[in-house]
Amino acid sequence: MSLEERAKATAKNIEGKAQEAAAEITGDPKDKAEGKAKQAESEVRHGIEDVKDNVKKNLD
């Protein structure tokens, strides 16, 4: 598990949530979509790290 990669993914998730919340206030649908995209990217990154962890565990 790359702790650094998980931290980056978590930061991207927080950034996306903040952007989405700001878009709710301003009513900007583009910003809202970008915020949701960042959150989805974060989920993918976490998934990749989970796969890496499982592969490493199975190889050990």
Side-chain angles (χ1 to χ4, degrees):
M1 167 174 83
S2 173
L3 194 56
E4 181 180 340
E5 290 302 316
R6 289 208 187 262
K8 286 180 185 178
T10 300
K12 181 66 78 172
N13 187 38
I14 292 168
E15 179 184 348
K17 286 181 186 241
Q19 186 172 4
E20 183 181 7
E24 287 289 332
I25 294 168
T26 63
D28 187 346
K30 182 180 175 192
D31 270 349
K32 186 174 182 178
E34 287 177 5
K36 286 185 181 250
K38 288 178 183 178
Q39 292 175 60
E41 179 185 344
S42 169
E43 289 180 29
V44 170
R45 286 183 179 191
H46 277 292
I48 290 169
E49 290 305 312
D50 290 343
V51 169
K52 286 180 184 178
D53 288 346
N54 286 332
V55 168
K56 184 176 181 189
K57 186 171 83 173
N58 288 333
L59 291 176
D60 289 340

